[in-house]
Amino acid sequence: MQDLNPYQDWRIALIPHIPGFPLPVVGLAAPTPRWSGMVSLHLTRDVALHLPPSEVVVQETNFADFIQLAQQSAVGQAVAASLADSGNDNPFDLVAVTSYCLSKGISQAADVERATRLILEAYRELARQIDAQNRARLH
């Protein structure tokens, strides 16, 4: 797993619904948002949604607590192994895939691997769209 230290104090956050995206979005909320008064929910290190707090559910759980709980569960261990096998072992993917598997009751290794592929594909596409929108706003 990548160095997790920079994200220890980041909070787990959820956007229940994004129009046109079939899943709730779970990511890491930066302790200091990029824009004042907004929540910066990161899908990757470099791609974030910047939303008003009313549109994001920020959990009390920080990433340090999340990773500790994930390492203690069979689902968390299966997700970590699946991400490592696919070369995607980073905090953002760990949060997204583990949260999805737990919410859907997915625990068998083959099902976790399949969910990992599907979630990563969906999140990568969403990240591409968000990145394009963010770049368009800045230019």
Side-chain angles (χ1 to χ4, degrees), residues 4-22:
L4 304 177
N5 273 343
Y7 308 107
Q8 294 300 311
D9 294 330
W10 291 38
R11 302 257 178 231
I12 307 302
L14 164 76
I15 302 170
H17 177 72
I18 293 179
F21 192 70

Side-chain angles (χ1 to χ4, degrees), residues 32-40 48-51 53 134 137-138:
T32 306
R34 182 169 182 170
W35 290 298
S36 181
M38 304 292 261
V39 174
S40 294
L49 286 162
H50 308 286
L51 301 164
N134 288 345
R137 284 186 198 131
L138 295 173

Side-chain angles (χ1 to χ4, degrees), residues 109-129:
D111 295 334
V112 168
E113 289 176 21
R114 188 171 25 264
T116 298
R117 285 191 307 275
L118 294 172
I119 294 302
L120 292 182
E121 183 178 307
Y123 270 55
R124 295 294 182 267
E125 178 56 31
L126 180 61
R128 279 190 288 279
Q129 292 173 14

Side-chain angles (χ1 to χ4, degrees), residues 57-105:
V57 178
V58 179
Q59 304 292 319
E60 289 297 317
T61 306
N62 64 28
F63 184 69
D65 295 338
F66 182 90
I67 192 71
Q68 183 178 18
L69 292 170
Q71 290 171 343
Q72 294 172 1
S73 75
V75 172
Q77 291 170 10
V79 169
S82 180
L83 289 171
D85 288 347
S86 67
N88 292 301
D89 55 342
N90 66 71
F92 306 98
D93 293 341
L94 180 68
V95 167
V97 176
T98 302
S99 298
Y100 179 80
C101 287
L102 289 171
S103 73
K104 298 297 183 185

